[in-house]
Amino acid sequence: MAFLHIRTADGRERDVVLIRPLTSVGRAPDNDVALPDASLPDTALHLRFDGRDHNAACHAGASMLVNGKKKSAARLADGDRIRLGSTELLFRAGDPAPSPAAVPIPLDGRLEAMRSLVRFSDRLLAASDLNRVLDELLDAVLDVTDADKGFVILFEEGEIAVKAARNLARENIEDAVARVSDSIIQKVRDTRRPVVVADALHDADWQSSSSVVNLKLCSVMCAPLMRRGEVVGVLYLGNDSVVSLFGDKDLEALTVFTAQASLLVENALLLDGLRRENEGLREAMATRQYGEIVGTGPSMREVLRRIEKVAGTDVSVLITGETGTGKELVAREIHARSPRSAHPFVAVNCGAIPEPLLESELFGHVKGAFTGAVATRPGRFQAASGGTLFLDEVGDMPPALQVKLLRALQERTVTKVGDTRPEPVDIRVVAATNKVLEEEIAAGRFREDLYYRLHVVSIALPPLRDRGEDVVVLARWVLQKQARELGSRARGFTPAALTALRKYPWPGNIRELENRVKKAVLLADRPLVAAEDLDLGPESFAPVLPLSQALEEYRKRYINEVLDRNGGNRTKTAKDLGVDPRTVFRHLERLEAERRHRAGEGPPPAGSAPEEEP
């Protein structure tokens, strides 16, 4: 049996028996032959036995002299002397003389595999992405076996995808998919068991495989990578110059390794999937964001379409919707996309300013017009000249002021409080309300002529509960924005939190969503926000209604939608619904009775259950 007689620079000598088909030589202690020579690279040389001869191949970065001549590779004969750095290796084809210095290389595949796993785990700590993990995996498995190349192959949508391909020099292999046998891979996939092929070209089981014949394969070993009981890929190892290279111990080592490697690959795939999901979310946000408006569900697409239509004109727009649905955001987007965008956007909340001050706030006042008027001051109309005036909660404007607003819109002039001289203004008015103005008109609380002056075009904002998956998109957008601003470690939501976000009715709409997510991000002590962090327990969800009550609620909402579509025209609404006009009138009377009851101004509507005493 062949051996190496080794003489180091300090004069020490030893013999190493070459009983493995592939022997590594170098400075690193994990080589088969470790040399204490600082001038050598980690791995300097490989000795390969092809069944008849031993061949030496020098690694990049190392220098080898064979019988005094510099060579990168050589077929060795008995008595050849190899110089590596300050170490001399004498190759002998016979058995060494009995000596305590003769050290056979251990063949315990399981022990070697476990050692390699430890080394692999250490290297894995530095790996940051899937490609790096797979490269590290291959380098480690090549250290365990006698293969000269290895492949990590995953199955994606039924197709073979080579994710990593490496050789002994830890270099990537080009055109990797053409260097593996699909027949061998398919057998492993079908049987879910590892396959060892000693001499593929002369094996009756594989002689009919065109991939084996065309590639002139010799030794192949292939083992499955499992994930949740399914074969998700294979580790494929090969050597095309040595037959019968892989034995039972090699298979044992590979089996030990792939059991752990499957878990590592699964974790890497999971992390890679999360990374791709985040990238997809960022792309989706880019496509789902319209200026500052986030979401493109079916109901929001109509809103965005109307914004596009009206933005370039000067017509008055009435925005309707529940509190917190983002009416001011829509008004700002209309202004930003209009020819007036370079001029001011001025917002006035008509319901937040006391009635005695609202006229002065809108139109301005002159010095001495009332107690406290120490100087002449322009109003919001003058401040918005050339731009857009946003009248929020216009349904709360006092009737007396509605007359003056109507005159200002008709004549495009305003008169300061305490003055008699009208001033021209050039503005575009966008109004918003959370009330049903048709009902307010019927009750005598809102002027019909002002309604038609404001309501040239209407945009109805859907409540958050009716926006479907936009709830999740908005929540993620708010979380990412708040996490950046607050320096929070929160990065996403747990599956239970996403379910809670979808189920909660959001009575406060987007404003409530922003508040809940911001609080959760601020207090977060983990990457994923849970349902309890959002205060969305089971008690937060709307109770299940009896079917009759649910049908009645739907009936009321649908009549209101058709009324809104018809601009409050009750006769046309009744005709569209195919009902007697009295049905629509009774519906409106009931809504008014419910409103009065909620305001404490009357009894509950007929047919409804009385409220319990607190």
Side-chain angles (χ1 to χ4, degrees):
M1 184 175 291
F3 68 96
L4 289 176
H5 181 76
I6 303 171
R7 181 184 294 114
T8 56
D10 57 6
R12 295 184 181 181
E13 298 184 19
R14 62 188 174 115
D15 292 337
V16 175
V17 180
L18 301 176
I19 57 176
R20 297 186 65 173
L22 187 70
T23 304
S24 61
V25 182
R27 177 171 52 87
D30 57 354
N31 283 292
D32 299 321
V33 180
L35 302 177
D37 188 339
S39 65
L40 296 179
D42 285 348
T43 300
L45 178 70
H46 272 97
L47 298 174
R48 180 182 288 108
F49 180 60
D50 61 9
R52 185 180 65 180
D53 298 314
H54 280 85
N55 300 275
C58 185
H59 270 223
S63 178
M64 174 179 70
L65 297 177
V66 179
N67 297 327
K69 296 181 179 180
K70 188 174 182 179
K71 294 187 176 182
S72 59
R75 187 182 299 274
L76 300 178
D78 185 39
D80 282 346
R81 294 182 180 276
I82 304 170
R83 168 68 65 173
L84 288 175
S86 61
T87 304
E88 184 179 82
L89 311 174
L90 175 63
F91 176 76
R92 302 308 305 260
D95 293 332
S99 168
V103 183
I105 300 171
L107 281 175
D108 188 345
R110 181 179 293 273
L111 177 60
E112 190 63 26
M114 294 306 295
R115 286 174 176 169
S116 188
L117 270 177
V118 173
R119 295 193 295 269
F120 174 49
S121 297
D122 290 339
R123 293 202 298 270
L124 187 63
L125 293 175
S128 58
D129 56 39
L130 178 60
N131 292 334
R132 178 75 181 276
V133 169
L134 296 181
D135 285 346
E136 294 286 356
L137 168 62
L138 271 186
D139 290 341
V141 78
L142 288 175
D143 286 345
V144 175
T145 65
D146 294 325
D148 61 4
K149 59 180 173 290
F151 306 85
V152 176
I153 296 168
L154 300 181
F155 304 131
E156 296 181 346
E157 298 180 358
E159 299 295 326
I160 292 175
V162 178
K163 293 297 183 179
R166 307 275 277 182
N167 58 25
L168 275 174
R170 299 191 175 183
E171 300 168 338
N172 292 326
I173 299 174
E174 301 296 330
D175 195 24
V177 73
R179 297 172 180 263
V180 297
S181 169
D182 52 1
S183 301
I184 294 175
I185 294 170
Q186 191 60 45
K187 182 172 183 179
V188 172
R189 188 175 187 179
D190 292 341
T191 63
R192 304 159 68 92
R193 299 180 62 83
V195 168
V196 176
V197 183
D199 185 1
L201 278 175
H202 300 94
D203 190 321
D205 291 339
W206 302 105
Q207 283 181 336
S208 60
S209 170
S210 58
S211 61
V212 169
V213 174
N214 293 338
L215 292 170
K216 299 180 180 179
L217 299 180
C218 290
S219 298
V220 176
M221 183 162 55
C222 187
L225 293 173
M226 307 296 293
R227 183 186 185 191
R228 300 173 188 172
E230 298 295 328
V231 180
V232 296
V234 297
L235 273 177
Y236 182 106
L237 308 176
N239 190 308
D240 297 339
S241 58
V242 182
V243 299
S244 302
L245 179 62
F246 304 123
D248 291 340
K249 291 188 179 294
D250 294 292
L251 181 59
E252 182 183 28
L254 184 64
T255 303
V256 169
F257 197 89
T258 52
Q260 180 68 16
S262 293
L263 296 176
L264 296 170
V265 168
E266 179 175 2
N267 288 337
L269 288 171
L270 177 61
L271 290 173
D272 191 59
L274 289 173
R275 196 173 289 116
R276 283 188 278 108
E277 181 181 347
N278 284 335
E279 291 172 357
L281 176 60
R282 282 192 290 271
E283 293 175 3
M285 288 301 302
T287 59
R288 286 186 172 225
Q289 193 163 354
Y290 183 91
E292 290 297 314
I293 301 173
V294 177
T296 56
S299 56
M300 285 302 294
R301 283 200 293 270
E302 174 62 19
V303 171
L304 302 181
R305 187 186 72 81
R306 291 208 165 202
I307 292 175
E308 286 283 356
K309 290 284 188 181
V310 304
T313 71
D314 243 4
V315 301
S316 298
V317 179
L318 178 64
I319 306 170
T320 61
E322 296 178 6
T323 299
T325 51
K327 294 186 288 294
E328 183 171 344
L329 204 59
V330 171
R332 289 184 180 276
E333 199 59 39
I334 292 172
H335 172 73
R337 294 172 182 271
S338 75
R340 297 176 174 269
S341 59
H343 298 282
F345 175 90
V346 178
V348 183
N349 189 327
C350 301
I353 301 173
E355 182 176 344
L357 299 179
L358 184 56
E359 182 179 359
S360 171
E361 191 71 24
L362 287 174
F363 307 130
H365 62 260
V366 296
K367 181 179 179 180
F370 50 84
T371 303
V374 296
T376 298
R377 190 178 70 84
R380 299 296 181 92
F381 266 79
Q382 293 93 327
S385 188
T388 302
L389 178 66
F390 175 54
L391 300 175
D392 197 10
E393 303 305 345
V394 72
D396 294 330
M397 181 175 286
L401 200 54
Q402 292 177 26
V403 178
K404 297 181 179 181
L405 174 61
L406 177 62
R407 183 179 299 113
L409 295 179
Q410 288 175 336
E411 299 175 1
R412 297 288 174 175
T413 62
V414 295
T415 302
K416 291 187 180 75
V417 177
D419 199 358
T420 58
R421 294 169 300 172
E423 301 176 38
V425 289
D426 173 26
I427 60 170
R428 193 248 187 99
V429 173
V430 177
T433 181
N434 63 356
K435 294 186 175 182
V436 181
L437 291 186
E438 294 85 355
E439 297 177 10
E440 297 298 301
I441 292 169
R445 289 186 295 270
F446 199 83
R447 293 182 63 93
E448 189 170 13
D449 48 3
L450 176 59
Y451 169 76
Y452 287 115
R453 176 64 64 175
L454 296 173
H455 185 197
V456 178
V457 176
S458 67
I459 297 178
L461 292 185
L464 188 55
R465 61 183 172 274
D466 293 341
R467 289 181 57 178
E469 200 62 19
D470 277 357
V471 174
V472 173
V473 174
L474 273 164
R476 284 173 167 157
W477 183 80
V478 173
L479 181 142
Q480 291 177 359
K481 177 184 176 184
Q482 295 297 336
R484 285 193 304 268
E485 293 179 358
L486 300 173
S488 170
R489 61 181 297 192
R491 293 294 179 268
F493 298 96
T494 64
L498 292 176
T499 300
L501 286 168
R502 295 182 178 101
K503 290 173 62 178
Y504 184 63
W506 299 108
N509 290 291
I510 299 171
R511 190 174 295 123
E512 180 184 3
L513 174 70
E514 289 177 334
N515 289 340
R516 285 182 183 267
V517 174
K518 184 175 182 178
K519 188 208 77 168
V521 169
L522 182 64
L523 301 178
D525 55 3
R526 50 193 170 187
L528 296 181
V529 171
E532 53 267 26
D533 298 326
L534 297 164
D535 294 331
L536 293 180
E539 68 282 356
S540 304
F541 305 134
V544 177
L545 298 176
L547 183 59
S548 59
Q549 187 177 347
L551 289 171
E552 179 60 24
E553 290 296 325
Y554 173 77
R555 178 178 174 275
K556 288 196 296 186
R557 285 201 305 271
Y558 190 66
I559 294 175
N560 287 337
E561 287 177 10
V562 180
L563 271 167
D564 184 62
R565 186 182 303 177
N566 290 327
N569 188 314
R570 306 167 194 180
T571 303
K572 188 174 187 312
T573 297
K575 183 177 178 181
D576 288 345
L577 293 173
V579 298
D580 189 282
R582 287 174 293 182
T583 301
V584 178
F585 282 102
R586 283 195 296 269
H587 166 77
L588 293 174
E589 289 171 356
R590 184 178 180 82
L591 289 179
E592 175 61 17
E594 289 176 353
R595 188 200 64 77
R596 287 182 176 277
H597 176 63
R598 287 194 299 269
E601 299 174 359
S608 64
E611 295 180 354
E612 296 181 0
E613 291 292 328

